[in-house]
Amino acid sequence: MTRVPSLDPFIERKLFTVNTGHAVTAYFGYHFGYHTIKETLEDEAVLALVKGALKESGQVITSKFDFSEAEHEKYIDKILGRFLNPYLSDEVTRVARGPLRKLGQHDRLVRPARLYYELVHEEPTHLAKAIAAALLYDYKEDEEAVKLQAMIEADGYEKTLEVVSHLHDSDSLTKSVLSQVDALKK
């Protein structure tokens, strides 16, 4: 046990690394036709996308808190090692379930992407692509995915992002996400 003055940095690190990494892997996995988290990460191209998203969320963590980049990189590697554990077969659709909650303004995808803009002052390309993949998640046995797709069908991506994620059409993140939706649909 390590005594620390506040748990907040560690809670945020867990949310932005474990939860974000798991969700990003699941949405990319579903998009690219994989069934398990392990199988998804065995694709080098998808692994690079996940690592890119975790690098972006990691820059938020190291900018906000007293974690060194090297220390946080070790943490990312440890988490990815857990995701690749052959004894833990986790289905992509189980991890991806609940996209409306996961796309919320204070949750694992949108919050680190917004903070990346604020703290790093660059476009969070990989996180934007992960948000786009979450918007495209259309698993018919997931009630929230069905509702999300109905919202998109009725109102479009911009309005859905406004309602679900509190992102407005003038937000830079909205523009990044919409560009990534177009790229993933090709």
Side-chain angles (χ1 to χ4, degrees):
M1 182 172 91
T2 304
R3 289 181 164 271
V4 293
S6 172
L7 287 177
D8 292 344
F10 296 91
I11 292 168
E12 193 117 317
R13 180 175 74 164
K14 187 257 184 199
L15 176 66
F16 284 11
T17 310
V18 179
N19 297 37
T20 297
H22 223 199
V24 166
T25 303
Y27 292 122
F28 285 144
Y30 183 82
H31 181 75
F32 292 109
Y34 293 109
H35 299 286
T36 68
I37 295 298
K38 181 181 181 301
E39 179 185 45
T40 300
L41 290 176
E42 287 173 340
D43 179 326
E44 290 295 322
V46 179
L47 178 61
L49 291 172
V50 172
K51 283 184 174 182
L54 289 176
K55 182 174 176 64
E56 290 170 353
S57 67
Q59 286 181 283
V60 170
I61 293 299
T62 58
S63 294
K64 275 185 79 171
F65 302 109
D66 192 27
F67 294 112
S68 72
E69 287 184 26
E71 176 184 12
H72 190 67
E73 187 65 37
K74 280 184 186 177
Y75 186 69
I76 289 171
D77 290 342
K78 175 179 153 183
I79 298 310
L80 288 174
R82 284 186 195 165
F83 293 169
L84 284 162
N85 184 335
Y87 301 105
L88 300 174
S89 182
D90 216 349
E91 290 184 12
V92 162
T93 52
R94 187 203 70 77
V95 177
R97 116 179 122 217
L100 292 174
R101 177 177 52 84
K102 291 175 182 161
L103 285 166
Q105 69 175 330
H106 300 295
D107 214 286
R108 65 204 71 199
L109 298 172
V110 173
R111 185 155 180 261
R114 286 187 108 155
L115 286 171
Y116 188 83
Y117 267 117
E118 288 176 29
L119 298 170
V120 182
H121 309 292
E122 293 177 12
E123 178 182 1
T125 309
H126 294 89
L127 287 168
K129 188 180 287 283
I131 294 167
L135 285 170
L136 296 172
Y137 181 65
D138 63 357
Y139 186 57
K140 303 285 187 257
E141 294 180 39
D142 182 327
E143 190 176 308
E144 281 193 23
V146 171
K147 185 175 179 181
L148 175 63
Q149 295 311 310
M151 292 171 73
I152 291 168
E153 180 69 28
D155 300 318
Y157 291 103
E158 285 181 31
K159 182 67 176 171
T160 300
L161 279 170
E162 185 176 333
V163 171
V164 174
S165 307
H166 297 271
L167 293 173
H168 303 284
D169 60 357
S170 61
D171 287 336
S172 296
L173 182 55
T174 299
K175 292 173 183 152
S176 296
V177 169
L178 295 176
S179 172
Q180 295 294 342
V181 165
D182 289 342
L184 285 173
K185 287 172 76 175
K186 289 181 183 177

